[in-house]
């Protein structure tokens, strides 16, 4: 898992660096990924029932129970060395951007200060109709929370067929286009528009690094691939950068 001399050089020169994370970075915290065999969420549950506005309107109780279950698992989990390394990188690299598709808040709990959340945050709620935020609501299966406007309150995450938060997507796109180094970490790179970001960066001249134990749609486009869990690959790359060890 030796980083190339090119990668070490870019990190030591502190070039504009953008990181896109997906569910795989939280796998070593015990949070299930969406895709990828037995135990993954979409292996056991149906996305159209649980992660779409139509599914929510058809059966809000089912959707709420699923999200409350996931909130509990996330609250019991903690950041792993992958999250912690990215928080350290943010402190040391002056031009560093962290973009995540994750809704689990583990980057923030690891100490990352600026996190661009593309798919919302599971700990927040909003009105399905008027989008008003509802930070503190008590969920009871028999009394589903309602907004004064009459709309149903739901988790503030982005479901299939919904637009991503405009400001977050614009900033993520701008930073990706300006990146000289781009890491795609723990994402299957199949969900758009997030999956476009590494390709935008590459097209604009960035050196593209992928960290993922499995091959993805992005692998053929990557300049460097670490086929390893991010909880070990990221600390190892960062250790090389910090210790001044030169690649062979
Ligand atoms: C490890 C590891 C370890 C394991 N270390 N790695 C263009 C073309 C085709 C379709 C579309 C398109 N544009 C839009 C669409 C439709 C759709 C889409 O992309 N569908 C595709 C599936 C085909 N996109 C949308 O609907 C988006 N909205 C949109 O585009 O609006 C405009 C529009 C609407 C309608 C039509 C056209 C335009 C919204 C997408 C919302 C995604 N929502 C979810 C749920 C969030 C809420 C929740 O959590 O409940 O977001 S779905 C789910 O997928 C979640 C994730 O953020 C997202 C991405 O998944 P991710 O993070 O990549 O995880 P996995 O599980 O897929 O992969 C994990 C990876 O980790 C694997 O590769 C493992 O190998 C790896 N791994 N252990 C490192 N230790
Ligand atoms: Zn409302």
């Amino acid at each position: 898992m030796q980083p190339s001399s090119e990668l070490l050089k870019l990190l030591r020169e502190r070039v504009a660096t953008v990181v896109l994370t997906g569910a795989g970075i939280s796998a070593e915290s015990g949070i299930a990924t969406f895709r990828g065999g037995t135990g993954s969420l979409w292996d056991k549950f149906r996305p159209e029932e649980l992660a779409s506005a139509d599914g929510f309107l058809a059966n809000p109780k089912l959707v709420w129970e699923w999200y409350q279950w996931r909130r509990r698992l996330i609250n019991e989990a903690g950041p792993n060395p992958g999250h912690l390394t990215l928080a350290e990188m943010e402190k040391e690299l002056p031009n560093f951007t962290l973009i995540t598709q994750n809704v689990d808040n583990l980057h923030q709990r690891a100490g990352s200060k600026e996190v661009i959340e593309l798919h919302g945050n599971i700990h927040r709620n909003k009105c399905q109709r008027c989008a008003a935020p509802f930070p503190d609501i008590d969920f009871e299966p028999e009394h589903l929370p309602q907004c004064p406007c009459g709309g149903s309150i739901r988790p503030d995450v982005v479901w299939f067929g919904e637009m991503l938060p405009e400001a977050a997507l614009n900033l993520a796109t701008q930073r990706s286009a300006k990146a000289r180094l781009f890491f795609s970490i723990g994402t299957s790179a199949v969900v758009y528009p997030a999956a476009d970001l590494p390709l935008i960066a590459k097209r604009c001249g960035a050196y593209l690094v992928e960290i993922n134990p499995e091959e993805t749609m992005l692998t053929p486009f990557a300049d460097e691939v670490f086929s390893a869990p991010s909880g070990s690959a990221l600390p190892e790359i960062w250790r090389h950068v910090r210790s001044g060890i030169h690649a062979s």
Side-chain angles (χ1 to χ4, degrees):
M1 217 190 333
Q2 178 86 344
S4 70
S5 49
E6 176 67 9
L7 175 55
L8 292 178
K9 182 167 169 282
L10 290 167
L11 283 165
R12 290 191 185 124
E13 283 175 358
R14 299 168 169 222
V15 300
T17 300
V18 173
V19 174
L20 171 69
T21 62
I25 195 159
S26 297
E28 289 155 273
S29 295
I31 313 281
T33 59
F34 292 91
R35 300 165 190 83
T38 320
S40 67
L41 291 171
W42 296 157
D43 180 52
K44 291 192 278 185
F45 304 103
R46 291 163 57 83
E48 56 276 30
E49 276 180 8
L50 298 166
S52 79
D54 286 348
F56 175 67
L57 294 172
N59 196 343
K61 182 168 178 283
L62 176 78
V63 174
W64 263 114
E65 281 171 351
W66 190 64
Y67 276 95
Q68 289 296 92
W69 168 71
R70 285 180 56 208
R71 282 177 176 174
R72 269 198 307 281
L73 295 178
I74 288 167
N75 283 335
E76 286 162 12
N80 67 55
H83 298 107
L84 294 167
T85 302
L86 292 176
E88 267 184 53
M89 287 169 73
E90 181 188 50
K91 277 192 214 130
E92 303 223 0
L93 301 176
N95 199 340
F96 179 86
T97 301
L98 177 56
I99 306 166
T100 191
Q101 297 167 83
N102 298 346
V103 300
D104 59 24
N105 215 41
L106 288 180
H107 285 304
Q108 289 90 338
R109 283 169 64 191
S112 288
K113 297 283 182 249
E114 194 201 352
V115 184
I116 303 178
E117 293 180 322
L118 292 179
H119 292 163
N121 188 306
I122 199 168
H123 299 297
R124 294 194 302 257
N125 308 291
K126 67 174 183 185
C127 172
Q128 166 72 15
R129 186 183 292 171
C130 74
F134 288 85
D136 300 306
I137 47 153
D138 283 328
F139 165 79
E140 294 161 37
E142 302 319 317
H143 299 284
L144 293 173
Q146 294 285 314
C147 175
C149 85
S152 302
I153 297 172
R154 54 167 275 187
D156 187 2
V157 297
V158 181
W159 286 328
F160 284 112
E162 295 184 329
M163 304 300 285
L164 275 63
E166 200 182 341
L169 182 59
N170 285 345
L171 186 59
T173 307
Q174 281 165 22
R175 298 278 177 91
S176 299
K178 288 190 185 146
R180 283 194 51 207
L181 175 59
F182 191 104
F183 286 89
S184 175
I185 304 176
T187 175
S188 56
V190 295
V191 174
Y192 287 85
D196 264 335
L197 297 173
L199 298 171
I200 290 171
K202 171 93 186 171
R203 242 185 347 260
C204 295
Y207 188 79
L208 180 57
V209 179
E210 182 177 57
I211 304 178
N212 195 317
E214 307 292 334
E215 275 194 25
T216 72
M217 307 287 281
L218 196 65
T219 311
F221 302 96
D223 296 295
E224 190 160 346
V225 177
F226 294 86
S227 304
S230 44
S232 47
L234 269 170
E236 185 64 10
I237 294 168
W238 195 234
R239 189 179 67 77
H240 277 82
V241 174
R242 308 234 23 207
S243 65
I245 296 170
H246 289 284
S248 50

